[in-house]
Amino acid sequence: MNNMERREALRGACIAVIGGIFWGLAGVFGQYLFAYKGLNARWLVSVRLVLAGLLLLTTVYLKQGREMWKIWKDKKDVFWLILFAIFGMAGCQLTYYSSVELSNAGTATVLQYTAPAIIMLYTAVRAKKMPRLMEIGALVLALFGTFVLATHGDPNSLAISDAALAWGLTSAVMMAVYNLLPLQLMKKYGTFCVIGWGMLIGGILMCVFTKPWHVIGTWDFQAVGAMAMVVVVGTVLSFSFYMEGVRIIGATRASLFASVEPVTATAATVLIMHTAFTLPDFFGILCIMAAVLILSIKK
């Protein structure tokens, strides 16, 4: 690798890290809106999905023009797109932000990051193949880290509410669905097109139930700024930076660098929201992050 290639690889790594940081900040500013501005997860997610979907599709239209409508010409693809919008997109976002609302962004993000272990198990079952020793070790680490994070080592008590734990683990399942369900659609129509339509459809379907036109909470400059962080920085810019990182250094290495997301969410939760984490919390987070890194490096 010559100097130019090394510089390009470093640039790709930095861009992927920035994408992960932006994703991590989205949860923290969502927590801020819940704690100080009177919003709830259902309202925030429905509005976020619609606005972010429109912004992403605008960028798709500027690049692809009318090609962005091709996905609607195949009934089978429309079926999978709607499934992705409901379970992969709306389901993933709603469960994650519900966990944030009931606990904090750091804990919710780390719980969601047990998804790679779920994907590994699903892949092994589907292929009818036993996981390798390294994969089994990563799964044990993820389970142990979740146990420590949830109980602080005491199986008779929960360090977070049972509802927060349930939403957090469900968000991990939904994140696995989010990663697996749209793969063929993305290959055919492009990542931004599928993600944009998934967000918009999921958001519109949620709006039927949440009725976000009935505005809730306190809206001032701080609330608008936090909402912009959630929608623009935490969605549009994060995806843009991450996908550029994928283009430069490949999906495997980009996903490894983007794993800075839960670290960012935890650090920002402490610094911005002044949430106190104990030693068992950090130990549980370390175990889950180690599992994610093992599974990422294995690729």
Side-chain angles (χ1 to χ4, degrees), residues 201-271:
I201 296 168
I204 290 173
L205 291 174
M206 279 196 64
C207 286
V208 174
F209 301 98
T210 60
K211 298 180 176 60
W213 47 88
H214 298 310
V215 179
I216 63 173
T218 302
W219 287 94
D220 50 23
F221 285 117
Q222 290 85 357
V224 172
M227 193 69 183
M229 288 293 295
V230 171
V231 174
V232 180
V233 175
T235 306
V236 180
L237 292 182
S238 60
F239 273 110
S240 299
F241 274 84
Y242 176 70
M243 293 309 299
E244 179 65 8
V246 169
R247 187 188 68 80
I248 296 172
I249 61 175
T252 300
R253 282 192 287 174
S255 65
L256 180 60
F257 287 115
S259 295
V260 72
E261 178 187 351
V263 178
T264 300
T266 302
T269 301
V270 173
L271 295 174

Side-chain angles (χ1 to χ4, degrees), residues 87-146:
F87 297 103
M89 188 57 71
C92 183
Q93 293 292 309
L94 180 61
T95 52
Y96 169 69
Y97 276 103
S98 294
S99 182
V100 171
E101 186 178 7
L102 293 169
S103 57
N104 59 75
T107 299
T109 307
V110 172
L111 287 174
Q112 189 180 63
Y113 258 70
T114 57
I118 296 172
I119 294 172
M120 182 269 291
L121 275 177
Y122 168 80
T123 304
V125 170
R126 186 175 182 182
K128 298 179 180 178
K129 183 179 178 181
M130 277 292 293
R132 296 177 182 179
L133 186 61
M134 185 182 290
E135 294 173 325
I136 294 173
L139 177 61
V140 171
L141 267 175
L143 292 174
F144 181 68
T146 303

Side-chain angles (χ1 to χ4, degrees), residues 51-215:
L51 294 179
L54 289 172
L55 287 171
L56 282 175
L57 288 176
T58 300
T59 64
V60 173
Y61 182 78
L62 293 175
K63 291 182 179 181
Q64 300 180 11
R66 295 182 180 179
E67 291 290 306
M68 64 176 278
W69 299 98
K70 283 180 65 176
I71 195 170
W72 293 98
K73 295 181 179 180
D74 188 317
K75 292 181 180 179
K76 183 179 178 182
D77 290 342
V78 171
F79 171 76
W80 286 108
L81 177 63
I82 292 174
L83 277 186
F84 169 63
I86 296 172
F87 297 103
M89 188 57 71
C92 183
Q93 293 292 309
L94 180 61
T95 52
Y96 169 69
Y97 276 103
S98 294
S99 182
V100 171
E101 186 178 7
L102 293 169
S103 57
N104 59 75
T107 299
T109 307
V110 172
L111 287 174
Q112 189 180 63
Y113 258 70
T114 57
I118 296 172
I119 294 172
M120 182 269 291
L121 275 177
Y122 168 80
T123 304
V125 170
R126 186 175 182 182
K128 298 179 180 178
K129 183 179 178 181
M130 277 292 293
R132 296 177 182 179
L133 186 61
M134 185 182 290
E135 294 173 325
I136 294 173
L139 177 61
V140 171
L141 267 175
L143 292 174
F144 181 68
T146 303
F147 168 77
V148 173
L149 193 64
T151 66
H152 286 182
D154 182 2
N156 296 314
S157 64
L158 283 175
I160 59 175
S161 71
D162 51 357
L165 178 62
W167 281 118
L169 294 177
T170 305
S171 76
V173 175
M174 292 295 103
M175 187 179 182
V177 173
Y178 167 88
N179 278 276
L180 294 170
L181 198 59
L183 289 178
Q184 296 304 316
L185 290 177
M186 287 179 177
K187 289 179 183 178
K188 190 173 180 180
Y189 300 105
T191 300
F192 278 82
C193 180
V194 175
I195 294 293
W197 280 119
M199 285 183 169
L200 184 60
I201 296 168
I204 290 173
L205 291 174
M206 279 196 64
C207 286
V208 174
F209 301 98
T210 60
K211 298 180 176 60
W213 47 88
H214 298 310
V215 179

